[in-house]
Amino acid sequence: MLPSNFTINGTDISQFKIVKKHYNESYMVQEEINNLQDEILEKTGYNIPIVEDSYVAEGDCEIIVGNAERQ
């Protein structure tokens, strides 16, 4: 994919994923995560994946939401 010219700390946004907590996620938090994903898609053309902290290893390019188990 071509760079989107949207970066976070110098890294192209297409490299990121949204990380949420696996358990006890409220409906409101999930709605806002979906809204964030939709906004990124609309502005950049990239559909940033939403992943659960329990199932995906930590990485350098994460947007961490709430109390996700991350350092």
Side-chain angles (χ1 to χ4, degrees):
M1 291 187 155
L2 298 173
S4 66
N5 297 323
F6 287 90
T7 63
I8 297 175
N9 202 28
T11 302
D12 191 88
I13 198 158
S14 66
Q15 303 301 307
F16 282 81
K17 60 185 170 236
I18 301 169
V19 180
K20 69 177 195 152
K21 189 166 185 67
H22 173 64
Y23 291 110
N24 299 323
E25 195 68 64
S26 76
Y27 173 78
M28 295 290 291
V29 170
Q30 184 59 51
E31 283 297 307
E32 290 305 316
I33 291 170
N34 291 341
N35 289 340
L36 174 60
Q37 183 186 44
D38 291 344
E39 283 291 319
I40 292 170
L41 177 61
E42 181 182 321
K43 304 282 190 234
T44 69
Y46 291 105
N47 191 22
I48 305 300
I50 299 170
V51 299
E52 294 182 351
D53 58 0
S54 297
Y55 299 113
V56 176
E58 288 186 40
D60 292 332
C61 299
E62 296 181 331
I63 301 169
I64 302 169
V65 178
N67 294 325
E69 297 291 327
R70 292 292 199 248
Q71 296 295 320

